[in-house]
Amino acid sequence: MDMKILMSSLLFLATALMVFVSVLCYRKRHLPVSKTMVLIMWAAAFYAFGYAFEVLSRDLNEVKWSLHIEYVGIPFVTTLWFFQVIQFTGTAARYRKILALALFAVPAAVFVLQLTNDWHHLVYERYNLNDEGTIPLYTTDKGPWYKVHSVYNYFVLLCGVLLFIPMYWRSLPIVRKQILVLLLGALAPMFFNLFFWTGLSVDLTPFGFAISGAAYVFGILRFNLLRLTPLAMAKVFETIRDGVVLFDYENQIVSYNSAAEEVLPELGRKKRYPAAMGEVLSPYPELFERIRAVNDKDERFPFDRFREDRKKYYTCSLSLIYDTGHVLIGKMLMFNDITELKNSEARLRENAQQLSELNAFKDKLFTVVAHDIRDPIALLVSLTELLGDELAAADLEHAELVRELKGQVQSTFHLVENLLDWYRSQKGKVVFRPLGWNLQQVVRQALFLSGAKAGMKQIQMTERVDDNLMVKADKEMLDLILRNLLSNAIKFTGIGGCIEIRSVLEGDRVIVSVSDNGEGIDELTAELLHLEEPFLKAMVSGDDSGDTRFGLALTREFVKIHGGRLWFNSEPGIGTTFSFTLPSLADARDGFDDGGTEGNTDESDFGGR
């Protein structure tokens, strides 16, 4: 095969390869580095394409036209590569446009001078017919601007290499491979270009660009070249809030971020990296040994140190880094600052201790209430009852005053009783023993016990409860629920009023209602009942409703223990109905205790007789 045909065919293949690389890069054109790579490949493609035509040229005129095609790329390709290095490394980001104008001034001048070379001969002084061989057809005597351009190309190439060297040593392994690919893309053409300066008449530089194209294809497909530039990776690395330190497979510190330097200031004192781990971490022998010993799995461990007279706490995560062949290539250490969490835990422990002490004091306080206050008040209740009976019998003028005193003492005693019941329920000391009970008998017992108090106000109390209706409940709790609701109804019902207890079965629940025609519920009590929380603060309200509110709160808690709920309807001046639910018992007479007095009537009157 003719040498010209062979060489031109190879040059056309090199052109096609570089066009293919530009297409791959164009897919990632949103990255500035990729746009520059497209321009580099097109410049190299014009160089190779034009040189192929120069090889096939038959006269001087065709040679000159071929050179015009070549010089669309020749002046710019090396400068474009250097500009790509600037983008890749993030150099002079603020002055990128001004720098581009300065860098491309010489290539633009060479391009214009070559187009007008026949007027001034500053690029090529003369063209000489090649009598010794067929390639090239003409040799040239180089002009001053050709030499200027050559020196400029080697200068920008050297600058690019110098920018890459420090980045290479501080980069991750995958980024190092990308840097090597880009270096090969520049050095291969320059290496072939050196043969041209040794006296070889054939310019092998385009074949160097073919090698560059092959290297770029390999880098894009194998190392994700241009997928994420080191500048972007560095920004991600620096913006991580946790401290990160990278080690190579020899346990040398390769890189770290600013957050890591805050944890270990010794990192910033070392001027050159990679650095031996032992030199930097010598003040922390335990940390050094931990990192050095890990070779088979990731680890997490605590780390703390004093800094600025304050102890700092960290959780360290040590991860192993593998390449695609599952070969260990390094380690990554991350510091997560948990100082505030530790301080919060300390404050919580302190608060818990204080709360425990307060609870112990509260327990002592309720013990005093139970033994040193309840018993004297109970005695006082008995004394006022005896005194009231004697004064009433003697018809003395102070009998009414004593009856009022008796009422206040009894109210205080009931409040203390309710308070102690609530305290036992909150401490878990109230034992819940649900059994089957005849609801009518339990209600009648509660009405019987409240009859004397209702009789004093001539209040008529009735019950409408089915005599076969059974509920599953704790007898003591159910008595307290009914006692509180009846006591409140009597208290707020006027003389000659009426109170009614009724029940209805709905599915597996029994709804029990206590209705009166009294004055209704005041706004504060209604609001507190809707809060769905114990309202101890109501006890200190200072009015006569404090014990009522507390009794209702305790009633609601005991209803909840039974799995039910308590609600009310009230209209001022018309009356109030409190309702609550209890679980029903299917078997009417099996397995229940007698709740009190017997009777089978559907309607009964208590009090006021």
Side-chain angles (χ1 to χ4, degrees):
M1 181 183 292
D2 188 354
M3 183 60 66
K4 287 185 178 183
I5 300 298
L6 176 61
M7 186 170 179
S8 60
S9 299
L10 293 175
L11 289 170
F12 284 132
L13 286 175
T15 303
L17 177 60
M18 286 178 274
V19 171
F20 174 70
V21 175
S22 68
V23 171
L24 290 179
C25 297
Y26 185 75
R27 294 178 180 177
K28 302 179 179 64
R29 57 187 178 277
H30 60 282
L31 297 174
V33 176
S34 295
K35 293 179 181 178
T36 307
M37 179 68 81
V38 171
L39 295 176
I40 292 173
M41 289 294 98
W42 274 103
F46 273 105
Y47 188 0
F49 188 72
Y51 194 54
F53 279 105
E54 182 183 350
V55 171
L56 297 174
S57 296
R58 294 165 296 181
D59 55 40
L60 181 59
N61 191 45
E62 291 182 0
V63 169
K64 289 182 179 181
W65 275 105
S66 300
L67 287 173
H68 291 334
I69 297 174
E70 292 177 47
Y71 268 80
V72 174
I74 287 177
F76 304 102
V77 63
T78 305
T79 307
L80 283 169
W81 177 84
F82 177 58
F83 190 71
Q84 185 186 52
V85 173
I86 293 174
Q87 292 174 320
F88 203 75
T89 58
T91 305
R94 294 184 178 180
Y95 311 103
R96 194 69 54 77
K97 293 182 179 179
I98 297 176
L99 185 60
L101 291 175
L103 286 175
F104 287 96
V106 172
V110 171
F111 174 73
V112 173
L113 290 174
Q114 195 280 329
L115 285 177
T116 59
N117 187 69
D118 288 344
W119 301 345
H120 46 69
H121 302 289
L122 292 176
V123 179
Y124 296 111
E125 292 182 350
R126 64 181 58 86
Y127 299 92
N128 306 311
L129 184 63
N130 185 7
D131 297 328
E132 298 179 358
T134 58
I135 302 176
L137 184 60
Y138 282 86
T139 61
T140 56
D141 293 335
K142 310 304 187 284
W145 265 95
Y146 186 96
K147 298 173 183 177
V148 169
H149 180 239
S150 299
V151 172
Y152 182 77
N153 277 346
Y154 283 106
F155 173 73
V156 296
L157 178 66
L158 178 62
C159 291
V161 172
L162 292 177
L163 284 178
F164 266 147
I165 289 175
M167 171 168 279
Y168 177 85
W169 291 114
R170 292 180 61 88
S171 296
L172 296 172
I174 185 65
V175 178
R176 288 184 176 184
K177 294 174 182 177
Q178 293 180 0
I179 292 173
L180 290 176
V181 169
L182 292 176
L183 280 174
L184 177 61
L187 296 178
M190 288 303 171
F191 175 77
F192 282 92
N193 185 257
L194 291 176
F195 289 100
F196 193 64
W197 287 96
T198 60
L200 184 66
S201 59
V202 179
D203 187 3
L204 300 178
T205 307
F207 296 102
F209 283 113
I211 296 176
S212 300
Y216 290 151
V217 170
F218 180 75
I220 291 172
L221 300 178
R222 182 66 175 81
F223 303 129
N224 294 323
L225 184 65
L226 309 181
R227 178 74 57 86
L228 183 65
T229 66
L231 174 61
M233 295 186 71
K235 287 184 177 179
V236 173
F237 191 58
E238 285 298 325
T239 53
I240 296 175
R241 296 180 62 181
D242 294 337
V244 182
V245 183
L246 298 177
F247 304 86
D248 62 13
Y249 64 94
E250 295 179 337
N251 284 327
Q252 293 190 102
I253 298 177
V254 177
S255 184
Y256 60 89
N257 63 356
S258 56
E261 188 175 352
E262 293 181 4
V263 181
L264 304 174
E266 293 79 5
L267 292 169
R269 297 170 191 164
K270 191 71 177 177
K271 301 302 181 184
R272 300 185 63 181
Y273 283 92
M277 180 175 61
E279 298 178 6
V280 180
L281 300 183
S282 56
Y284 315 99
E286 293 183 3
L287 180 62
F288 171 79
E289 289 297 329
R290 197 109 189 204
I291 297 171
R292 188 177 62 84
V294 173
N295 286 309
D296 54 352
K297 63 179 181 179
D298 299 346
E299 279 196 9
R300 291 175 63 88
F301 54 89
F303 174 71
D304 56 77
R305 58 161 302 174
F306 278 96
R307 188 175 182 190
E308 298 176 354
D309 298 329
R310 183 186 178 192
K311 194 169 186 178
K312 304 281 285 186
Y313 298 90
Y314 302 92
T315 296
C316 297
S317 300
L318 185 60
S319 305
L320 304 180
I321 304 174
Y322 298 91
D323 66 2
T324 54
H326 301 287
V327 177
L328 181 64
I329 59 175
K331 302 174 184 177
M332 180 174 67
L333 178 66
M334 296 187 68
F335 295 92
N336 181 21
D337 191 345
I338 58 171
T339 304
E340 288 302 322
L341 180 61
K342 283 286 187 180
N343 293 338
S344 298
E345 288 179 356
R347 288 192 293 268
L348 286 174
R349 284 194 296 269
E350 182 179 352
N351 292 339
Q353 183 178 359
Q354 293 177 355
L355 184 60
S356 177
E357 294 174 355
L358 288 174
N359 281 333
F361 173 75
K362 181 192 69 175
D363 293 341
K364 293 178 182 179
L365 178 63
F366 274 95
T367 301
V368 172
V369 171
H371 296 285
D372 298 342
I373 296 180
R374 179 183 178 279
D375 293 343
I377 294 178
L379 179 60
L380 188 58
V381 168
S382 300
L383 292 175
T384 53
E385 288 179 349
L386 291 173
L387 182 60
D389 293 341
E390 291 179 1
L391 291 176
D395 196 19
L396 296 177
E397 58 177 325
H398 297 298
E400 184 67 27
L401 182 61
V402 172
R403 279 196 296 271
E404 179 65 24
L405 176 62
K406 185 176 91 170
Q408 292 293 331
V409 171
Q410 287 178 338
S411 177
T412 302
F413 179 72
H414 289 318
L415 182 60
V416 172
E417 284 275 292
N418 284 333
L419 180 62
L420 291 174
D421 286 337
W422 173 85
Y423 172 69
R424 287 193 293 270
S425 69
Q426 296 299 308
K427 291 286 290 183
K429 293 182 179 179
V430 174
V431 180
F432 180 59
R433 294 192 182 96
L435 297 172
W437 298 93
N438 183 288
L439 180 61
Q440 185 189 67
Q441 294 183 9
V442 176
V443 169
R444 288 185 173 184
Q445 185 181 34
L447 290 172
F448 179 80
L449 294 175
S450 301
K453 187 175 181 180
M456 295 175 63
K457 299 178 69 173
Q458 299 178 2
I459 295 174
Q460 183 180 15
M461 296 193 299
T462 60
E463 59 90 0
R464 289 187 174 88
V465 180
D466 190 335
D467 62 344
N468 291 323
L469 193 58
M470 304 293 299
V471 294
K472 189 174 184 179
D474 183 284
K475 179 63 165 55
E476 292 184 2
M477 290 188 183
L478 183 55
D479 286 342
L480 184 142
I481 293 170
L482 293 171
R483 183 173 72 243
N484 271 309
L485 293 179
L486 286 171
S487 176
N488 290 336
I490 293 170
K491 183 174 183 179
F492 294 103
T493 300
I495 295 175
C498 61
I499 297 173
E500 181 182 77
I501 300 181
R502 63 176 62 200
S503 65
V504 60
L505 178 64
E506 289 189 359
D508 61 347
R509 314 296 292 179
V510 175
I511 300 177
V512 183
S513 300
V514 179
S515 303
D516 65 67
N517 62 349
E519 62 188 57
I521 299 178
D522 63 278
E523 293 183 1
L524 179 58
T525 302
E527 180 182 352
L528 291 172
L529 279 172
H530 286 304
L531 291 178
E532 289 295 326
E533 61 182 21
F535 38 87
L536 289 176
K537 59 183 180 181
M539 292 178 57
V540 295
S541 60
D543 59 18
D544 190 44
S545 302
D547 57 339
T548 300
R549 296 167 189 156
F550 189 81
L552 290 175
L554 186 61
T555 299
R556 185 177 61 196
E557 293 301 314
F558 283 165
V559 169
K560 284 184 177 180
I561 291 176
H562 284 82
R565 66 187 185 93
L566 174 72
W567 70 95
F568 67 93
N569 294 306
S570 180
E571 295 185 31
I574 297 178
T576 302
T577 298
F578 274 92
S579 302
F580 63 94
T581 59
L582 293 171
S584 66
L585 196 64
D587 298 330
R589 296 282 181 181
D590 295 339
F592 67 89
D593 295 337
D594 244 350
T597 60
E598 296 182 0
N600 294 320
T601 60
D602 291 337
E603 183 174 336
S604 300
D605 293 343
F606 295 86
R609 289 191 288 230

